[in-house]
Amino acid sequence: MAVLVTGGTGYIGSHTVVDLLEHNYDVVIVDNYVNSKPEVLNRIFKITGKKPRFYEIDVCNEQGLRTVFEKEKITDVIHFAGLKSVGESTQKPGLYYSNNIGSSLTLLKLMHEFNVKNIVFSSSATVYGVPDHVPLKEDDNIGGCTNPYGETKLDIEYILKYEAEQHKDMNIAILRYFNPIGAHKSGLIGEDPQGIPNNLMPYITQVAVGKRDHLNVFGSDYKTHDGTGVRDYIHVVDLASGHLAALRKLEEKPGLVIYNLGTGTGTSVLDLVNAFEKANNIKVPYVICDRRPGDVDENYADATKAFKEMGWKAKLNIVDACRDSWNWQKNNPKGYDK
Ligand code: NAD
Ligand code: UFG
């Protein structure tokens, strides 16, 4: 009776594994460390006093993954494994299609072979493309993604919808994450981007820790209250608990369900910088520069469906997230590298 967590040593996966272990789930992780480090497992043990079983396997490797299904009694799957860099996906589209879609197809094939019915999938607000309104609801239009990464998420959503139509006994939760930030309150696990961070919060924390000189604010002429881009920043610990809520929902055998995981509140780049400075009493120097291609003005969730149907809602706010992101960064200036 174990939950298989693919990508369980990654940023969102590790926080979810902690929550699962603290709720006494039996956890099996599969990860190939393409974007994570073995040290994560030690940190998970430090927080929970428990060691999930771990397999260093590429989820695209059917035979390798089959050995996990043979050895373990898997009842549910949470599928985080995937590549997530928007920029890299435009340079290496083939890699993103083969890794993200390939891993999902391999996983589904083995789930059928071993009669595993429940899967929670990490989708993204990126599937809404360029929104013509906010807040975004689950039945709003999807499509029009501007990069291969987003396309892979959209394609996997379609694959899962066809699976659900074909296999009425399958239970599938598609979770569309908005912008995860923050870290576990212990400061032992957090986001550890390789190279120059693409995302706003890790860039802010690297400026704060002195690794980078200043933040580049991409554009100040968006149609928002202060001209900078507005997003829905959700604390990763809240996001993690959304996966436990989804697992419980799947026990009701709902077939296919789709939920936004966001806070419902829009925060601009400058709002986040100000919140970070205030929460941590540290200056974050910034320079306004050109827009980043592909960025939209505003993107935030209507998260009421997840509350109505799963009883889940975000409890932490951006001040909590700013405090916890900084706590992680200052205690681990080199991330998981000693
Ligand atoms: P992450 O890179 O920290 O974690 C992904 C994990 O998957 C890593 O540990 C990586 O090593 C592993 N992995 C990748 N491909 C694999 C493969 N073929 N086989 C085995 N392991 C593999 O990313 P994250 O931020 O934790 O994101 C988790 C999921 O959520 C991803 O699917 C991502 O696309 C999705 N998502 C993330 C965000 C975000 O902003 N972080 C937003 C929306 C959706
Ligand atoms: N930004 C800056 N400077 C930076 C980085 C970001 O000003 O150095 C701005 C962006 O222009 C945007 C906001 O901060 O207005 C947030 O940018 P992020 O890169 O942190 O996040 P995005 O909303 O662009 O994208 C994220 C994930 C995607 C996912 C999407 C879903 O990176 O994978 O959320 O909403 F698809």
Side-chain angles (χ1 to χ4, degrees):
M1 299 289 277
V3 181
L4 171 63
V5 183
T6 74
T9 49
Y11 173 45
I12 306 168
S14 57
H15 287 82
T16 304
V17 165
V18 164
D19 205 358
L20 288 168
L21 293 172
E22 285 176 342
H23 286 83
N24 296 319
Y25 283 89
D26 188 21
V27 178
V28 173
I29 299 177
V30 170
D31 202 300
N32 63 356
Y33 292 133
V34 67
N35 197 36
S36 57
K37 306 269 168 59
E39 175 60 17
V40 175
L41 294 170
N42 299 329
R43 305 292 181 90
I44 290 173
F45 180 69
K46 273 192 186 160
I47 297 171
T48 63
K50 294 180 186 173
K51 277 191 180 153
R53 293 189 293 295
F54 178 82
Y55 296 85
E56 186 177 344
I57 288 172
D58 186 325
V59 180
C60 300
N61 171 356
E62 184 179 324
Q63 197 38 46
L65 195 60
R66 183 173 285 108
T67 60
V68 179
F69 278 84
E70 279 164 357
K71 278 193 199 148
E72 304 287 350
K73 274 210 133 340
I74 308 292
T75 50
D76 303 80
V77 176
I78 307 181
H79 182 34
F80 291 108
L83 298 172
K84 64 165 181 178
S85 163
V86 171
E88 187 187 48
S89 79
T90 58
Q91 289 146 14
K92 301 175 184 169
L95 174 67
Y96 273 66
Y97 279 95
S98 61
N99 190 71
N100 293 3
I101 298 180
S103 63
S104 303
L105 292 174
T106 305
L107 194 54
L108 285 165
K109 183 173 181 193
L110 289 165
M111 286 177 66
H112 290 311
E113 200 174 310
F114 288 84
N115 213 22
V116 179
K117 303 293 180 198
N118 296 351
I119 179 167
V120 179
F121 171 63
S122 300
S123 189
S124 166
T126 195
V127 300
Y128 293 113
V130 180
D132 57 11
H133 66 273
V134 278
L136 288 156
K137 278 182 185 277
E138 290 81 350
D139 54 6
D140 282 336
N141 284 340
I142 56 171
C145 296
T146 50
N147 58 75
Y149 164 72
E151 280 293 333
T152 65
K153 292 290 167 191
L154 195 61
D155 290 348
I156 299 163
E157 284 206 4
Y158 281 121
I159 291 167
L160 291 172
K161 284 173 196 168
Y162 290 124
E163 283 284 334
E165 269 173 38
Q166 197 62 35
H167 303 279
K168 300 284 182 213
D169 54 350
M170 279 197 81
N171 300 295
I172 300 174
I174 292 176
L175 303 182
R176 294 181 181 152
Y177 313 153
F178 281 68
N179 291 54
I181 58 170
H184 190 264
K185 63 179 186 308
S186 62
L188 287 166
I189 55 173
E191 188 169 11
D192 182 18
Q194 309 301 303
I196 302 171
N198 296 306
N199 298 115
L200 181 58
M201 181 56 99
Y203 208 106
I204 290 176
T205 60
Q206 291 197 3
V207 171
V209 84
K211 205 164 164 181
R212 315 214 171 261
D213 184 52
H214 64 270
L215 170 72
N216 296 309
V217 174
F218 298 145
S220 59
D221 57 352
Y222 285 104
K223 285 192 222 90
T224 62
H225 64 273
D226 62 12
T228 66
V230 163
R231 299 290 183 274
D232 187 339
Y233 296 98
I234 173 165
H235 198 296
V236 66
V237 167
D238 278 331
L239 196 58
S241 78
H243 294 76
L244 276 74
L247 285 182
R248 289 191 294 272
K249 181 73 195 173
L250 294 188
E251 282 168 26
E252 296 169 16
K253 303 196 187 309
L256 178 90
V257 286
I258 303 179
Y259 299 112
N260 286 338
L261 295 187
T263 64
T265 302
T267 300
S268 75
V269 175
L270 294 182
D271 289 338
L272 195 66
V273 169
N274 291 335
F276 186 92
E277 290 185 334
K278 224 167 144 186
N280 300 311
N281 203 18
I282 300 178
K283 275 270 155 229
V284 178
Y286 66 84
V287 171
I288 305 278
C289 47
D290 288 345
R291 287 181 174 208
R292 182 172 66 178
D295 277 353
V296 299
D297 300 64
E298 289 193 287
N299 189 342
Y300 58 92
D302 179 328
T304 50
K305 187 179 175 207
F307 184 61
K308 275 188 202 135
E309 296 190 10
M310 304 198 289
W312 173 89
K313 67 174 177 190
K315 293 184 180 140
L316 301 166
N317 58 33
I318 56 164
V319 176
D320 300 313
C322 287
R323 183 199 59 223
D324 295 338
S325 288
W326 176 234
N327 186 39
W328 153 253
Q329 178 75 77
K330 74 170 189 259
N331 287 312
N332 305 271
K334 295 182 182 164
Y336 289 108
D337 290 331
K338 298 248 165 64

